[in-house]
Amino acid sequence: MHASTDRLYQAAKQLRDISGQSAVARLLNESPQTVKNWETRGVSRAGAMTAETVIGVRAAWLLTGEGPMVAGTTATALIHQPTAAAEPEDLVRIPLLANCGSMGQGNDVLDADYVVGDLALSSHWINQHIRPGNIRELKFIHAHGESMAPTFSDGDVLLVDVGSRDPSSIEGVYVLEVRGQLYIKRVRIRMDGAMEVSSDNINIKTVDVLNGDHQLRVLGRVVWAWNGKKL
C-alpha cells in the first residue's frame, strides 16, 4: 500500500474512529474505486486537501509524512472547535458540497445541497482571479471521471459559481443536471442558437446538440480547478 494512503487510514481511525476503504470513501465523498486507486498511486493532492477539511489531518503530512499529523493543537480541538476568529480577516470559507459532477456517465443528484466541509480562500485572491458576482454563490464540488481530461482529472475539486448559469453570456465548463444526473461538460451556443455540450478528452470525445427537448438545468459554471487551472 502507498505510504500516503496508509497515513490516510491511520488518521481516519485516530481522529474520526473510521476504518475501512468504503467508510473512508464515504467520509471524503469519494468513490470507493478512487480510494482503492490511492492504495497503489497515493492520495491525490485534492484528496489530501479534502481530508484536511473533513478529518482534520494536515494535507502536507498525508502527502509527505513530514511534520505533525495535525496542526498546532489537539485533534479534538481541531475537529470540533474551529477558531475562525484566529484566521486572517480576508479568508472566505467556501462550502464543499456532497453532490459531485460526473465527467462520464453522470452521478445521481442528491435531494439537497448537503455541505460536507469547507475550504478557505483569500477574498483578495477570489476577487483578483475569479471576480464572481457574489462570493456567497461560490461552491466546491468533486469531479469524477476522465472525459474532461486534461482540463481536469478524476478526483479534482472544482470551484463553481452557481450565480453564473447562462452559457449564452459566457461559454465555458458548466455543471448540468439532465434527468436527475449531474454532468460536468463544456458548453457553447452555436450560431443557430442550439446548445452544444461536449467533453475535452480527445480519446473519448463526445458532442451533443440540445434542441430544447432535453430536461436540462444549468447549475453553475466551473471557474477554477483545484489543480490550479482557471476556466
Side-chain angles (χ1 to χ4, degrees), residues 53-69:
T53 299
V54 176
I55 299 176
V57 60
R58 290 178 58 248
W61 179 83
L62 274 182
L63 296 173
T64 68
E66 298 177 357
M69 178 189 292

Side-chain angles (χ1 to χ4, degrees), residues 88-148:
E89 290 184 359
D90 78 330
L91 277 188
V92 176
R93 292 202 164 270
I94 308 297
L96 174 65
L97 302 182
N99 264 320
C100 57
S102 170
M103 300 179 289
Q105 297 301 312
N107 287 328
D108 290 337
V109 180
L110 299 179
D111 58 1
D113 282 333
Y114 297 107
V115 176
V116 297
D118 56 49
L119 298 173
L121 296 177
S122 161
S123 61
H124 174 75
W125 182 91
I126 293 172
N127 290 322
Q128 182 178 22
H129 295 279
I130 306 301
R131 298 176 183 173
N134 185 344
I135 286 180
R136 294 183 180 275
E137 293 183 320
L138 295 177
K139 314 289 182 185
F140 278 113
I141 66 168
H142 282 92
H144 293 301
E146 302 292 346
S147 73
M148 289 301 292

